[in-house]
């Protein structure tokens, strides 16, 4: 199956898989698909895909995950990296692929109702207005007992590990925990106000980059993150990739989180 990767979430820790990244994208016939679970940072280098890159991969339905778009990799060796979709001509290719072929939802209540009927768990969403970018402090470190278990488990070689896999395990270090929770407060097309957490890889990495450029002064770093997401993105044609969490899918009052942002420049082109 060919999949255009659109979303990678910031890694979370897992007793079973060490680190997990939720990946989502669209197939060649423009259907949403989630690939989960993936121990992404343990993939061999030539299998580490980027956002807006087509990959070819052997997938099977993830029967332990009730969400309709959820699949898992059947054979990790099947992953092949294909072409990337660039941002030339004001993101023309990306805009055409997404805005011409995907349903763009504007009502949060509509997608919550569909999710609770198990009709979907991934959408492209257009807020009518961004009100604020919310920053909340969280724990600065992962749970110490879980970290100890993962570090012990990951060093254990498996019988059929390739040399690259063995090297990856030997040099592996757990991803740092972002000590903040970032959220968008916005209004949808019906006038409903909501606040959803942002969980994509991009915002986590942006925080670490901003911290480095701010001489490790956290207040300056989060201000820079807010500047980008609240000020700079407001000047763009902003869309949100929303996904339900497995834990809350199908029953929660609002099971969605923001798993990515799509922010092409405004274009006068009609697709």
């Amino acid at each position: 199956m060919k999949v255009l990767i659109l979303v990678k979430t910031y890694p979370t820790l897992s007793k079973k898989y060490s680190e997990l990244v939720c990946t989502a994208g669209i197939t060649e016939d423009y259907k949403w698909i989630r690939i989960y679970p993936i121990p992404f940072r343990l993939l061999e280098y030539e299998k580490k895909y980027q956002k807006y890159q087509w990959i070819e991969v052997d997938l099977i339905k993830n029967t332990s995950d009730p969400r309709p778009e959820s699949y898992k990799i059947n054979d990790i060796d099947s992953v092949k990296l294909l072409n990337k979709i660039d941002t030339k001509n004001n993101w023309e290719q990306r805009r055409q692929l997404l805005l011409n072929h995907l349903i763009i939802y504007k009502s949060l209540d509509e997608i919550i109702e569909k999710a609770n009927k198990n009709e979907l768990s991934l959408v492209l969403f257009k807020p009518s207005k961004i009100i604020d970018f919310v920053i909340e402090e969280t724990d600065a470190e992962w749970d110490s007992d879980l970290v100890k278990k993962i570090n012990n488990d990951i060093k254990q070689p498996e019988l059929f590990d390739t040399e690259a896999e063995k090297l990856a395990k030997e040099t592996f270090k757990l991803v740092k925990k972002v000590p903040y929770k970032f959220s968008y407060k916005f209004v949808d097309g019906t006038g409903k106000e909501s606040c959803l957490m942002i969980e994509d890889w991009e915002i986590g990495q942006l925080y670490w980059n901003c911290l480095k450029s701010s001489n490790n002064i956290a207040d300056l770093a989060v201000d820079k993150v807010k500047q980008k997401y609240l000020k700079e993105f407001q000047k763009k044609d902003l869309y949100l990739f929303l996904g339900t969490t497995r834990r809350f899918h199908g029953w929660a009052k609002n099971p969605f989180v923001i798993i990515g942002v799509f922010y092409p420049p405004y274009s006068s082109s009609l697709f």
Side-chain angles (χ1 to χ4, degrees):
M1 186 181 295
K2 288 184 179 179
V3 177
L4 177 63
I5 303 299
L6 299 176
V7 169
K8 286 193 300 183
T9 60
Y10 195 79
T12 57
L13 300 194
S14 162
K15 289 182 180 179
K16 185 175 181 180
Y17 297 102
S18 302
E19 267 185 12
L20 283 180
V21 171
C22 179
T23 296
I26 54 173
T27 61
E28 287 183 292
D29 54 355
Y30 307 105
K31 293 181 179 178
W32 279 104
I33 192 165
R34 175 188 291 103
I35 307 175
Y36 183 83
I38 297 178
F40 180 75
R41 294 203 308 142
L42 284 176
L43 288 179
E44 295 178 28
Y45 179 78
E46 64 271 17
K47 300 185 186 301
K48 287 186 177 179
Y49 45 81
Q50 299 177 23
K51 288 171 67 174
Y52 301 102
Q53 180 170 25
W54 285 100
I55 66 170
E56 189 173 75
V57 59
D58 180 12
L59 297 174
I60 57 173
K61 191 73 177 72
N62 186 346
T63 55
S64 65
D65 187 337
R67 293 172 294 182
E69 304 93 341
S70 292
Y71 286 71
K72 61 182 179 180
I73 297 178
N74 187 42
D75 177 9
I76 199 67
D77 292 329
S78 71
V79 178
K80 294 179 182 178
L81 305 187
L82 305 176
N83 59 303
K84 300 174 186 176
I85 308 301
D86 60 37
T87 58
K88 291 179 182 177
N89 300 320
N90 286 330
W91 294 41
E92 183 178 1
Q93 265 194 296
R94 293 185 184 183
R95 290 178 63 91
Q96 288 185 359
L97 277 168
L98 273 63
L99 305 185
N100 251 12
H101 297 97
L102 298 181
I103 297 173
I104 302 171
Y105 289 94
K106 297 181 179 180
S107 166
L108 203 58
D109 284 341
E110 179 183 3
I111 62 172
I112 291 172
E113 181 180 356
K114 287 180 178 292
N116 287 341
K117 292 178 179 178
N118 205 31
E119 294 177 4
L120 54 73
S121 67
L122 294 166
V123 299
L124 180 61
F125 187 86
K126 179 67 171 173
S128 66
K129 181 182 180 181
I130 299 294
I131 302 172
D132 199 4
F133 181 80
V134 182
I135 302 166
E136 301 171 82
E137 286 193 48
T138 62
D139 293 336
E141 303 291 341
W142 299 112
D143 178 86
S144 58
D145 290 336
L146 181 55
V147 168
K148 187 182 297 184
K149 179 185 185 305
I150 290 171
N151 283 330
N152 288 335
D153 290 349
I154 210 159
K155 301 300 181 184
Q156 301 300 319
E158 296 184 17
L159 182 61
F160 298 106
D161 280 349
T162 65
E163 289 303 315
E165 288 171 332
K166 290 176 183 177
L167 179 62
K169 288 183 176 182
E170 289 171 3
T171 59
F172 182 80
K173 291 183 179 179
L174 284 175
V175 68
K176 293 184 291 184
K177 186 178 185 298
V178 176
Y180 294 92
K181 182 171 74 172
F182 302 114
S183 303
Y184 261 143
K185 185 179 288 187
F186 62 90
V187 176
D188 73 0
T190 70
K192 179 176 180 175
E193 184 177 314
S194 300
C195 187
L196 295 184
M197 188 162 62
I198 307 170
E199 294 194 348
D200 71 326
W201 190 307
E202 190 171 329
I203 199 169
Q205 192 56 54
L206 175 64
Y207 168 75
W208 296 119
N209 292 343
C210 290
L211 188 66
K212 185 177 180 180
S213 66
S214 302
N215 296 316
N216 289 318
I217 301 174
D219 287 346
L220 292 180
V222 294
D223 281 346
K224 289 181 179 181
V225 174
K226 185 169 186 174
Q227 174 73 21
K228 187 175 185 71
Y229 273 74
L230 189 60
K231 301 298 183 182
E232 292 184 31
F233 285 176
Q234 288 272 41
K235 301 173 185 176
K236 308 286 187 178
D237 189 14
L238 183 65
Y239 299 80
L240 307 175
F241 296 121
L242 303 186
T244 65
T245 61
R246 180 176 174 182
R247 178 182 176 187
F248 293 113
H249 178 78
W251 65 272
K253 185 177 180 180
N254 186 353
F256 284 95
V257 294
I258 299 168
I259 53 176
V261 292
F262 181 56
Y263 46 93
Y266 280 103
S267 173
S268 59
S269 300
L270 296 176
F271 298 139

